[in-house]
Amino acid sequence: MRVAHHTDSQALVHIFGKGSRNRKLLPMVMEAFLKLREYGVIVEPVWLSREDGVIKYADLGSRDFHSDDI
């Protein structure tokens, strides 16, 4: 199974593709990739600009947050 992960984070695309130099982050990334491989899932990161309609739609829920909301 292939899954496209759309993101506006170029850092995330780089980490997915080449790993991370961050000693705390790399083991977490590796663990996730190994688990995905175990289940036969291939994640393909796709960078999109923040101005892209897909990213704007995905961000709608996080852009209207107020700490006093119940």
Side-chain angles (χ1 to χ4, degrees), residues 3-63:
V3 177
H5 177 82
H6 295 116
T7 180
D8 61 351
S9 170
Q10 290 180 347
L12 179 75
V13 172
H14 179 81
I15 291 168
F16 269 49
K18 298 184 179 179
S20 174
R21 292 185 200 175
N22 183 314
R23 292 177 187 221
K24 291 182 181 179
L25 183 58
L26 185 59
M28 290 187 283
V29 173
M30 291 301 297
E31 181 180 354
F33 271 104
L34 291 174
K35 188 55 76 171
L36 288 166
R37 180 182 288 175
E38 182 180 324
Y39 288 103
V41 178
I42 298 169
V43 177
E44 296 180 354
V46 178
W47 179 81
L48 299 174
S49 165
R50 288 185 183 146
E51 301 305 315
D52 187 281
V54 172
I55 297 298
K56 283 186 173 186
Y57 182 76
D59 280 350
L60 283 176
S62 66
R63 299 288 184 212

